[in-house]
């Protein structure tokens, strides 16, 4: 249960997840290209890989990556040393800027889960009370505990995709 609650530490947890993804992707693209910095083409591939990882790791809806034009424009903003390439620090800032809206949507998805899950739990409790073998256990559980268990199960299901790579 502690691991599930840890997921709700907010921005810091999400930042750590994005940082892990960014570091992993930067190293992968750097190793494949043999360069310490990313060209526009490398950056575009890296963004696709980051969005792929975000869609795997973070709960909520699937996110589409930005267009090449959006990436090109943001690259110019984040290329602090103006060499036409992105180094590791610039890449981390680039991805943080790029994923700000994504993280807001993820937070909204978790909020919806936390509001919808208890409502669904109470609606299903009545239906499961008549199920042989399970019904008597469900009847004995107080509503608050049953709703909490269903909510935790839904949150766990959403966040369990993190380990799938």
């Amino acid at each position: 249960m502690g691991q599930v609650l840890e997921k709700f530490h907010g921005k810091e947890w999400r930042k750590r997840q994005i940082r892990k993804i960014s570091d992993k992707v930067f190293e992968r693209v750097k190793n494949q290209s043999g360069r310490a910095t990313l060209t526009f083409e490398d950056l575009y591939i890296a963004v696709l890989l980051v969005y792929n990882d975000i869609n795997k790791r973070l709960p909520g809806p699937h996110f589409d990556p930005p267009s090449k034009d959006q990436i090109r424009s943001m690259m110019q903003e984040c290329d602090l040393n103006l060499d036409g390439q992105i180094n590791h620090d610039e890449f981390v800032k680039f991805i943080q800027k790029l994923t700000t809206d994504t993280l807001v949507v993820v937070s909204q998805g978790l909020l919806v889960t936390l509001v919808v899950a208890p409502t669904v739990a109470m609606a299903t409790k009545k239906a499961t009370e008549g199920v042989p073998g399970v019904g008597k256990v469900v009847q004995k559980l107080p509503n608050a505990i049953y709703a909490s268990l269903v909510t935790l199960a839904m949150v766990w299901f959403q966040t369990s995709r993190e380990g799938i790579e």
Side-chain angles (χ1 to χ4, degrees):
M1 184 165 152
Q3 290 177 336
V4 172
L5 295 177
E6 183 179 298
K7 304 295 184 190
F8 295 106
H9 287 183
K11 290 181 182 179
E12 289 307 310
W13 177 80
R14 291 188 299 271
K15 282 183 183 179
R16 283 193 308 270
Q17 294 303 307
I18 295 298
R19 182 63 190 236
K20 284 180 190 176
I21 292 169
S22 299
D23 290 346
K24 183 176 110 181
V25 167
F26 186 86
E27 286 302 312
R28 180 177 173 187
V29 173
K30 182 180 88 168
N31 290 341
Q32 288 177 347
S33 71
R35 292 183 298 275
T37 57
L38 305 181
T39 64
F40 172 74
E41 293 78 18
D42 296 332
L43 181 62
Y44 183 69
I45 291 167
V47 168
L48 295 178
L49 291 170
V50 165
Y51 269 77
N52 186 45
D53 275 0
I54 287 172
N55 287 326
K56 285 183 196 176
R57 289 179 181 238
L58 299 179
H62 173 82
F63 298 99
D64 292 327
S67 69
K68 282 186 173 184
D69 290 336
Q70 290 171 309
I71 292 172
R72 193 178 317 275
S73 173
M74 283 185 65
M75 180 181 180
Q76 291 171 351
E77 293 172 29
C78 293
D79 184 12
L80 301 178
N81 59 5
L82 304 174
D83 64 354
Q85 298 186 353
I86 299 290
N87 65 30
H88 186 259
D89 291 336
E90 292 169 337
F91 181 71
V92 169
K93 289 177 183 157
F94 177 91
I95 295 300
Q96 286 172 344
K97 184 175 182 177
L98 186 66
T99 58
T100 300
D101 293 337
T102 302
L103 296 179
V104 169
V105 173
V106 169
S107 298
Q108 290 170 346
L110 285 174
L111 182 62
V112 167
T113 298
L114 294 175
V115 172
V116 171
T119 306
V120 170
M122 297 319 303
T124 60
K125 183 177 185 208
K126 198 76 165 158
T128 56
E129 288 177 349
V131 176
V134 176
K136 290 186 181 196
V137 174
V138 171
Q139 285 176 342
K140 291 180 182 179
L141 282 174
N143 288 344
I145 292 175
Y146 185 77
S148 296
L149 290 172
V150 170
T151 301
L152 286 173
M154 288 180 75
V155 170
W156 175 80
F157 177 75
Q158 281 189 331
T159 58
S160 68
R161 294 185 302 162
E162 176 184 324
I164 302 172
E165 292 188 44

